């Protein structure tokens, strides 16, 4: 398999930094395909002139995360902010591949020069964010983006990785989620910096907002804000967008603490490991070739 | 860190095969700690004289899986069958470690010479069954067990690994699970060979059983049986135990198909990778030591 060279990567990145959007698309693909030693040869990638504020947007399937992201993009773009989006889709062991349906609604922004959207199957076979998500987030820094929205589905413990790649996390819930919220709450409550009760015109919205507020009383430290939105009508989105920009101004982005770097390193090492795995496993056809793997 | 030698492992396994239960406990620990090339040096482990029938028992938290396992152990032991249990506990990224509460109820069997129980934190940091579960299951084969029950919590896609280690899978549900069942159903319905509606004296039990039966109409191929049980009163357990033994007699255990061997190899390789990971990550304190990992 012929892989793109480091030199090629460096050239593409330069074009992407100069504002060439097709080059950026190409560079993100280069990042996915290249061995990590080549990626790290690009000094610009890990010493960017500025850092994009990374907002993780997570919550159960059907909470309206994609719609909300679409509305936020509009608001930020109107203020001439450069906004990137990484949309991470779940992949099931039975269906494989990314579910792309939801992505279609982003297409109205595809001509907006301030907006760049990338869909990413969570291709890591072991759950959690794939190493590509970490690398791509770095690329948005390097290309001078102001904001990066990272949309993930918050379903299992391994999905809580968003905590380690985002600077702040917005958890989107809907009144109907009921039991499924209960199940996820332990994890999601702890990682949220912002709560959005979406589809707030439906019954139970006020109750859910109160319930969240009440549960926040017990927590120490940070005090997340709770917003009510009707994303598909654009209601409540202005307030939310304003709050996000406030957070961005307040927060000192600390991306290189040992804890965060270790999480990133782990994801990247896992990516390398998984890349090698398939070819290793392909030779296993019987107990002898199986044992030979470990000798 | 001094690790036990292959020679030591071989001696302990011999004693375990001769029926020494303390040696078996010791051997399982040896498996967890030893490098895989030493494990594979033990020919007996992967060429056992007989195979224990592996029944995976999975379902949502609170479905009563542990209670059911306890009852099944009683039935099988009364028939002088040698029964092993591997109880895999969930570990959360926030709490870490195994939740051992449920395991206590097994202790009444701890003096039964036909029964051997091992608790196992799902220590794989990436979800799914840890490599230890695969190795330990092999040990129960090697030591001449008739049956092995593997209890796991079926919550995420990565937890569906049970499919690849067990010969047949029993999914335990309770009437109240409601939404959470809906969420899991797609995955669990596909892997089940047996359904148990537990706590069948509660409202909604008949409805749930009918709902399962109805959804099975669509599926091709295998036709799982649905049982209603009240495990804590022992009701319905005899019928279930009988069915399990019937399955055991009917099924030709095929453990060495390429697909199964690849899943096992993947879990074992992952185990090796994770073992090395911590020491690698410990050196990461800043961006330079981070980059050095990939050069």
């Amino acid at each position: 398999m012929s892989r793109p060279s480091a030199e090629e990567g460096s050239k593409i990145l330069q074009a992407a930094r100069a504002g060439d959007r097709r080059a950026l698309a190409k560079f993100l693909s280069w990042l996915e395909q290249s061995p990590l030693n080549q990626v790290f040869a690009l000094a610009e990638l890990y010493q960017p002139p500025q850092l994009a504020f990374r907002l993780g947007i997570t919550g159960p399937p059907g909470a309206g995360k994609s719609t909300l992201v679409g509305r936020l993009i509009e608001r930020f773009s109107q203020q001439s902010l450069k906004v990137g989006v990484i949309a991470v889709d779940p992949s099931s062991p039975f269906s494989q591949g990314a579910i792309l349906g939801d992505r279609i609604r982003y297409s109205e922004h595809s001509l907006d020069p301030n907006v760049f959207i990338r869909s990413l199957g969570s291709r890591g076979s072991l759950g959690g964010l794939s190493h590509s998500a970490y690398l791509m987030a770095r690329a948005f820094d390097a290309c001078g983006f102001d904001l990066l929205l990272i949309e993930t589905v918050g379903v299992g413990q391994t999905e809580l990785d968003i905590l380690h790649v985002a600077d702040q996390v917005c958890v989107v819930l809907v009144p109907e989620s009921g039991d499924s919220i209960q199940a996820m709450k332990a994890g999601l409550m702890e990682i949220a910096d912002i709560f959005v009760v979406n589809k707030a015109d439906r019954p139970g919205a006020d109750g859910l907002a109160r319930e969240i507020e009440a549960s926040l009383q017990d927590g120490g430290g940070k005090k997340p804000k709770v917003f009510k939105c009707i994303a598909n009508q654009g209601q409540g989105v202005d307030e939310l967008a304003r709050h996000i920009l406030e957070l961005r101004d307040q927060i000192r982005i600390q991306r290189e603490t040992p804890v965060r770097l270790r999480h990133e390193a782990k994801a990247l090492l896992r990516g390398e490991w998984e890349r090698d795995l398939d070819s290793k496993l392909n030779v296993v056809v019987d107990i002898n070739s199986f044992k030979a793997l470990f000798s």
Side-chain angles (χ1 to χ4, degrees), chain A:
Chain A
M1 175 159 86
S2 109
R3 282 173 181 162
S5 70
E7 225 173 311
E8 256 183 285
S10 181
K11 266 190 213 155
I12 309 171
L13 176 55
Q14 268 171 39
R17 295 178 69 175
D20 179 341
R21 296 163 54 76
R22 288 185 59 189
L24 177 53
K26 216 169 152 188
F27 183 68
L28 296 182
S29 301
W30 182 85
L31 281 179
E32 278 197 290
Q33 291 156 36
S34 301
L36 289 176
N37 57 354
Q38 296 201 359
V39 168
F40 283 92
L42 306 184
E44 310 91 308
L45 200 60
Y46 277 76
Q47 274 155 8
Q50 75 172 86
L51 297 174
F53 175 67
R54 299 180 186 168
L55 181 70
I57 298 189
T58 192
K65 296 182 295 296
S66 300
T67 310
L68 191 67
V69 167
R71 295 295 184 165
L72 287 172
I73 290 172
E74 282 167 21
R75 302 300 188 281
F76 296 138
S77 169
Q78 282 159 11
Q79 299 176 55
S80 300
L81 292 165
K82 278 184 80 176
V83 190
V85 177
I86 300 178
V88 183
D89 291 316
S91 38
S92 130
F94 293 104
S95 69
Q96 291 297 332
I99 299 152
L100 287 163
D102 269 348
R103 301 289 88 80
I104 292 162
R105 71 185 67 169
Y106 289 137
S107 61
E108 56 193 281
H109 304 286
S110 60
L111 297 175
D112 183 335
N114 285 326
V115 177
F116 191 95
I117 294 159
R118 180 77 169 209
S119 239
L120 185 64
S122 65
R123 299 181 317 163
S125 61
L126 299 167
L129 278 177
S130 79
H131 75 295
S132 304
Y134 289 82
L135 290 175
M136 288 185 180
R138 293 280 184 179
F140 284 98
D141 286 341
C143 292
F145 278 73
D146 298 296
L147 278 153
L148 175 62
L149 307 178
I150 307 171
E151 181 200 335
T152 64
V153 176
V155 282
Q157 290 293 346
T158 48
E159 268 57 64
L160 300 181
D161 274 8
I162 189 67
L163 179 64
H164 305 297
V165 68
D167 298 311
Q168 295 274 283
V169 174
C170 171
V171 169
V172 185
L173 299 173
V174 277
E176 302 91 84
S177 326
D179 271 15
S180 47
I181 291 179
Q182 296 302 326
M184 284 188 292
K185 225 168 170 183
L188 288 179
M189 297 305 277
E190 292 187 50
I191 67 169
D193 301 290
I194 305 172
F195 282 99
V196 171
V197 175
N198 193 23
K199 306 185 184 175
D201 50 344
R202 300 205 180 166
D206 290 334
L208 177 59
R210 272 196 306 273
E211 198 187 323
I212 295 167
E213 292 276 11
S215 69
L216 295 176
Q217 306 294 326
D218 329 328
K222 63 182 180 186
K223 171 76 175 152
K225 259 193 124 163
V226 183
F227 290 86
K228 283 189 277 185
C229 291
I230 310 173
N232 63 358
Q233 298 169 24
Q235 276 187 45
V237 178
D238 285 330
E239 294 81 349
L240 176 64
R242 210 174 301 127
H243 182 63
I244 291 169
L245 294 180
E246 280 168 20
L247 280 180
R248 171 173 171 260
D249 292 338
Q250 285 162 18
I251 275 156
R252 191 167 138 253
I253 297 176
Q254 285 201 297
R255 204 150 288 159
E256 288 169 6
T257 61
V259 170
R260 294 193 80 165
L261 285 173
R262 282 171 199 173
H263 271 101
E264 185 159 347
K266 187 174 161 181
L268 298 179
L269 289 170
R270 190 182 64 186
E272 278 204 316
W273 178 73
E274 287 182 339
R275 194 202 296 265
D276 291 341
L277 191 63
D278 282 344
S279 58
K280 266 196 178 171
L281 292 181
N282 276 341
V283 305
V284 174
V285 291
D286 57 21
I287 190 72
N288 293 320
S289 46
F290 172 87
K291 284 185 184 178
L293 278 185
F294 303 97
S295 58

